[in-house]
Amino acid sequence: MATYSRLPGSVALITLQNPPVNALSAAVRQGIVDTVQRALKDPKVTSVVICGQNGRFCGGADIREFAGPMLGPPLVPMIHAIEAVDKPVVAAIEGVALGGGLELALGCHYRIAHSKALLGLPEVTLGLLPAAGGTQRLPRLIGLTAALDLITTGRHISAAEALKLGILDQVTDSNAVDLAVDFVRSVAGQPLDSRRLSTLACPCPPDVDSLLDKVMAQVRQRSRGALAPVACVQALRAAATLPYTQGMEKERDLMATLFNSGQARALQYAFFSQRVVGKWSLPSGANWNNSTGRTISKAAVIGLGTMGRGIVVALALTGMSVVAVETQEKQLAEASQAVPAMLQREAGRRSLATPPGVITFSSNLQDVSEVELVIEAVFENMALKLQVFRHLASVCGPGTLLCSNTSGLDMDQLAAVTKSPALVVGMHFFAPAHVMKLLEVVCGPRSSPEAVATAMQLGKRMGKVSVAVGNCPGFVGNRMLKPYLEQANFLLEEGATPQQVDEALEEFGFPMGVFRMSDLSGLDVGWRIRKEAGLTGPGVEPSRTRQGRRYSPLPDQVCEAGRLGQKTGRGWYQYDGPGGRVARSDPWVHIFLEAYRAQHGLVARSIAPEEILERCLYALINEGFNILQEAMAAGPEHIDAIYVFGYGWPRHRGGPMFHAGQVGLGRVLERLEHHHHNHPDVPHLEPSTLLRRLVAGGSPPVQKWREFINKDRVHSQL
Ligand SMILES: CC/C=C/CC(=O)SCCNC(=O)CCNC(=O)[C@H](O)C(C)(C)COP(=O)(O)OP(=O)(O)OC[C@H]1O[C@@H](n2cnc3c(N)ncnc32)[C@H](O)[C@@H]1OP(=O)(O)O
């Protein structure tokens, strides 16, 4: 709703009220329409200020309402009516003015903001465009070039930047509403024509067409199949080339197409998934709301390889002091050069309010005795990690939280060698750890609510999307990746080339196909994990089966040929040299694949992109159903957030579990059955019991899956 009050000096104050972000729900829109009418009719009112309750102007349209029928007054005529009012209307912006919130402000005659306010038109991130006149008014106010940037990226900007761009008229460090009230009194009675943005011409550079073509090309390349950024450019072309009324018609038509697209639903689901995962819970009943984490001010990181360095930077960026330990002198010397430079770069990029914490480098594990939390980030080797944990247990006090940045090893085994297993949790970062948004917080069977809460809070402080997961091999992300990678290798055995597999996945929307990604991360990484699992290495027979299941030794053989990927200039592709970035097809790989197939009596066949996608993606999704069944993830949103934020799953496809729902669970089941029939020696293709149960239950939407997940799970940890 919106409240109305009359202040001394003939000012009407309209306050939007819909906590927590004063989203423009039907009730709020109705409230605005009614209160604006009241101000208009009241002869004692000469001017109007619109603000939001609790220091937040408006977070835009109420996204939750998008799923249902449109009720209440629509935004477009409401904003038109405000613009047409013949008494000055000022938007007093505190907190946020986003999406429809900023569009409402653009319909006002003046905009005044607090210096800490954030403004933006993030609709594109929800698969939409600013369709309450945003694509037509903003470019008329700040020019086409700046509007293209803001609307196609959806980025939030500071009040200072908004002032510079001309979106704001004034910025204040004190109360924005008070300033707006004073200001509006001072402009009462002045002409308003030039303040009505819809009546202005759109400032454009001389060569509008070439600018729009250039931006369209950039957007298409960046968006990897997403529709909304393209529609944003089309709407802005209309703003630059058509009168306002026709521009609005174009905006409306484009919005109608987007609004009903699967992509908008997927992106809105991704928005809420990101928030759902913050609300973790454990089977004990402990959850985000009833558990208190510790506030960490001093932490340590053990191991300063690529991951450890990134973690040190991520921690220091929160302002805490960090002890960075590396026992190998050469590695320590390199890290103590590299880490401060990384920190400086990242702090500059983020324009931080808090100065970064102090980092102390040491080769002595004893130096972590005073810290409150330790993150071990040594090599992915259980014996080594156990050794470090034993050492930590003797060096640190019994109240120190001990975390491991393992990507899939048993956290409970590590907890068992410590004095306080309840204070042990996994913190699985993704490379580069100071940049990547995802953090898997691995809850072992003995992890206490306090330990989980501390790790989740710390993740949030580092700006991560933290997802609590259960303790199983590979946790959630890497466990699902395994059948995906396995299928990619099988497809090579059967006749595909690395390029064909990568192209199908990139066309789907992944930034990189599996083989390009493997070259980037290094083929030795997976090889070492497989060696640790006894699947490869000296003494292991190079056959195509392991423990009665199909196995492809292809990646082992490529790695053992010294082709480690980009770092050696050769992997699944060839590069210009070690460290090269541009992948080119390598005749060596094709000859190698032919020889391999001949050696194993395999006859190459032509494989369609559809089969590549089905086999890779449905195998991954199937494992997601197993994970849900075993409660290693609390819900499909958790898996989807992990894949969107950590594994490059295209956001406009929501995540693997959401995608399964969009494809149709029945279809996914049928194709898995088909592929399992053709490959009975691949257990990962055998449809999950949960998937079968969901299909038998009428394929409910993803939000209802929890009702079908077996309550008497064997391994329940979440
Ligand atoms: C005709 C159609 C026109 C569409 C135009 C639009 O306006 S589309 C919407 C554009 N607006 C946005 O995209 C803003 C989305 N919100 C945010 O970016 C952030 O929530 C925030 C406003 C920057 C606040 O961030 P903060 O970290 O402080 O809080 P949360 O993100 O955790 O949000 C708190 C709760 O509020 C819910 N919520 C936020 N925005 C909206 C919204 N626009 N509609 C509905 N609900 C919203 C959010 O889901 C959180 O809810 P919980 O239940 O507490 O999880």
Side-chain angles (χ1 to χ4, degrees):
M1 60 180 254
T3 58
Y4 181 90
S5 53
R6 217 175 68 218
L7 306 180
S10 312
V11 179
L13 180 68
I14 295 174
T15 309
L16 314 188
Q17 293 192 348
N18 183 17
V21 301
N22 298 321
L24 294 164
S25 62
V28 172
R29 296 196 306 275
Q30 189 62 59
I32 297 173
V33 169
D34 294 346
T35 49
V36 168
Q37 275 298 321
R38 197 167 154 190
L40 205 56
K41 284 191 189 140
D42 187 339
K44 295 212 178 93
V45 166
T46 56
S47 52
V48 183
V49 170
I50 303 181
C51 67
Q53 192 190 28
N54 294 335
R56 274 184 159 173
F57 181 70
C58 178
D62 193 328
I63 306 166
R64 287 180 207 279
E65 285 186 355
F66 291 171
M70 168 78 186
L71 302 169
L75 271 179
V76 170
M78 182 192 94
I79 294 173
H80 270 298
I82 292 172
E83 192 184 62
V85 169
D86 55 8
K87 304 174 183 185
V89 184
V90 180
I93 300 171
E94 296 173 309
V96 288
L98 296 172
L102 180 55
E103 290 176 293
L104 168 64
L106 292 173
C108 298
H109 306 118
Y110 300 92
R111 287 154 294 278
I112 288 181
H114 188 267
S115 52
K116 295 226 165 83
L118 289 176
L119 294 86
L121 292 174
E123 284 86 343
V124 69
T125 64
L126 298 168
L128 304 173
L129 51 72
T135 66
Q136 305 303 303
R137 284 198 181 87
L138 188 69
R140 284 175 163 79
L141 179 62
I142 64 172
L144 179 66
T145 314
L148 274 165
D149 167 42
L150 290 193
I151 291 176
T152 59
T153 61
R155 70 188 177 91
H156 298 182
I157 58 170
S158 64
E161 186 176 352
L163 182 69
K164 208 161 143 197
L165 286 171
I167 297 175
L168 295 173
D169 298 290
Q170 286 190 24
V171 172
T172 176
D173 287 329
S174 36
N175 190 309
V177 181
D178 289 349
L179 178 62
V181 170
D182 289 345
F183 175 86
V184 82
R185 282 191 195 117
S186 71
V187 294
Q190 288 182 15
L192 290 171
D193 285 350
S194 66
R195 309 299 311 180
R196 295 191 174 102
L197 302 182
S198 67
T199 64
L200 307 182
C202 174
C204 293
D207 198 349
V208 179
D209 278 337
S210 76
L211 170 70
L212 286 162
D213 291 348
K214 190 177 113 205
V215 175
M216 184 62 101
Q218 285 167 348
V219 150
R220 282 192 199 280
Q221 211 217 347
R222 209 172 50 209
S223 58
R224 305 195 317 265
L227 301 171
V230 172
C232 288
V233 181
Q234 288 169 335
L236 283 153
R237 182 182 287 276
T241 56
L242 297 173
Y244 174 78
T245 322
Q246 286 175 40
M248 285 299 286
E249 281 166 15
K250 183 76 182 170
E251 183 189 91
R252 185 199 57 210
D253 293 349
L254 289 164
M255 178 66 161
T257 311
L258 292 178
F259 198 79
N260 296 315
S261 73
Q263 291 197 1
R265 275 193 294 279
L267 285 157
Q268 288 151 29
Y269 166 85
F271 173 84
F272 287 116
S273 303
Q274 186 177 346
R275 278 137 189 99
V276 165
V277 298
K279 298 181 176 163
W280 58 273
S281 62
L282 299 178
S284 61
N287 62 43
W288 63 281
N289 204 18
N290 62 18
S291 310
T292 314
R294 298 185 198 165
T295 306
I296 305 295
S297 56
K298 193 166 185 189
V301 177
I302 315 291
L304 298 179
T306 311
M307 289 309 294
R309 292 176 195 190
I311 298 170
V312 171
V313 173
L315 290 170
L317 286 168
T318 68
M320 74 174 69
S321 45
V322 187
V323 181
V325 179
E326 171 59 62
T327 50
Q328 289 182 29
E329 289 296 342
K330 186 167 172 277
Q331 179 107 296
L332 178 67
E334 280 170 12
S336 44
Q337 293 287 310
V339 170
M342 284 162 69
L343 180 63
Q344 206 179 8
R345 254 195 322 272
E346 195 57 21
R349 200 177 66 82
R350 294 192 196 181
S351 347
L352 289 180
T354 329
V358 175
I359 303 173
T360 319
F361 292 91
S362 168
S363 60
N364 188 353
L365 218 61
Q366 210 66 33
D367 287 344
V368 309
S369 61
E370 299 296 311
V371 305
E372 298 145 304
L373 177 143
V374 181
I375 302 177
E376 162 279 306
V378 301
F379 245 39
E380 190 70 353
N381 174 289
M382 185 48 111
L384 180 61
K385 285 184 188 282
L386 282 169
Q387 193 186 327
V388 172
F389 266 70
R390 279 195 196 96
H391 205 129
L392 288 172
S394 68
V395 169
C396 302
T400 311
L401 262 96
L402 300 182
C403 310
S404 172
N405 172 50
T406 167
S407 58
L409 297 177
D410 182 3
M411 281 308 303
D412 202 34
Q413 216 180 319
L414 293 175
V417 300
T418 67
K419 288 182 194 138
S420 314
L423 293 182
V424 175
V425 281
M427 289 184 84
H428 178 204
F429 289 82
F430 290 75
H434 57 302
V435 176
M436 288 291 285
K437 289 284 279 180
L438 179 65
L439 177 71
E440 281 186 325
V441 171
V442 189
C443 314
R446 292 184 266 182
S447 305
S448 67
E450 186 193 21
V452 175
T454 306
M456 291 294 285
Q457 278 170 22
L458 183 54
K460 197 167 179 190
R461 263 173 84 189
M462 289 186 282
K464 307 283 179 209
V465 174
S466 310
V467 187
V469 298
N471 181 40
C472 58
F475 314 132
V476 170
N478 284 347
R479 175 168 161 183
M480 289 168 70
L481 200 64
K482 198 172 159 198
Y484 167 84
L485 298 177
E486 190 183 79
Q487 286 302 316
N489 293 325
F490 294 162
L491 287 160
L492 295 193
E493 290 186 337
E494 292 166 36
T497 62
Q499 294 91 307
Q500 284 168 339
V501 174
D502 283 349
E503 275 160 23
L505 295 168
E506 287 161 19
E507 186 62 27
F508 178 78
F510 280 99
M512 244 183 237
V514 29
F515 294 108
R516 259 188 261 277
M517 180 50 89
S518 170
D519 273 2
L520 175 69
S521 20
L523 272 74
D524 50 328
V525 176
W527 182 86
R528 227 177 279 118
I529 293 169
R530 292 191 295 278
K531 181 165 170 282
E532 174 98 343
L535 294 168
T536 191
V540 179
E541 211 192 309
S543 71
R544 291 181 53 242
T545 53
R546 297 284 185 280
Q547 293 132 13
R549 303 154 72 129
R550 181 171 169 187
Y551 176 84
S552 173
L554 267 174
D556 299 332
Q557 293 181 8
V558 174
C559 178
E560 283 155 15
R563 302 177 66 101
L564 307 189
Q566 288 188 4
K567 58 186 160 193
T568 56
R570 298 268 185 278
W572 293 106
Y573 295 92
Q574 58 177 322
Y575 300 85
D576 283 339
R581 290 275 180 270
V582 182
R584 277 179 289 112
S585 171
D586 189 341
W588 183 93
V589 173
H590 301 285
I591 294 165
F592 164 76
L593 285 174
E594 274 170 29
Y596 175 93
R597 291 182 197 121
Q599 182 197 349
H600 294 284
L602 297 163
V603 180
R605 64 186 172 92
S606 151
I607 301 178
E610 294 73 37
E611 180 177 344
I612 294 174
L613 284 183
E614 280 184 7
R615 292 210 12 220
C616 293
L617 301 185
Y618 294 178
L620 175 148
I621 287 168
N622 196 38
E623 196 58 22
F625 283 114
N626 289 332
I627 284 171
L628 288 176
Q629 177 70 39
E630 292 171 23
M632 292 296 161
E637 300 87 350
H638 295 66
I639 294 180
D640 287 334
I642 286 174
Y643 262 80
V644 166
F645 289 102
Y647 291 83
W649 185 278
R651 194 178 163 93
H652 64 267
R653 293 190 190 266
M657 308 320 285
F658 182 86
H659 180 65
Q662 283 206 319
V663 169
L665 297 184
R667 168 84 183 159
V668 175
L669 174 60
E670 184 238 304
R671 298 312 291 160
L672 276 168
E673 278 171 337
H674 168 83
H675 294 302
H676 189 232
H677 176 79
N678 290 344
H679 306 278
D681 52 351
V682 183
H684 281 130
L685 290 174
E686 182 174 4
S688 137
T689 315
L690 176 60
L691 173 59
R692 288 190 186 285
R693 195 148 4 104
L694 286 165
V695 174
S699 299
V702 70
Q703 293 79 2
K704 300 233 180 245
W705 290 4
R706 275 191 188 77
E707 294 163 24
F708 287 74
I709 297 172
N710 190 352
K711 296 284 175 252
D712 339 300
R713 301 173 191 113
V714 189
H715 307 95
S716 182
Q717 282 172 16
L718 290 176

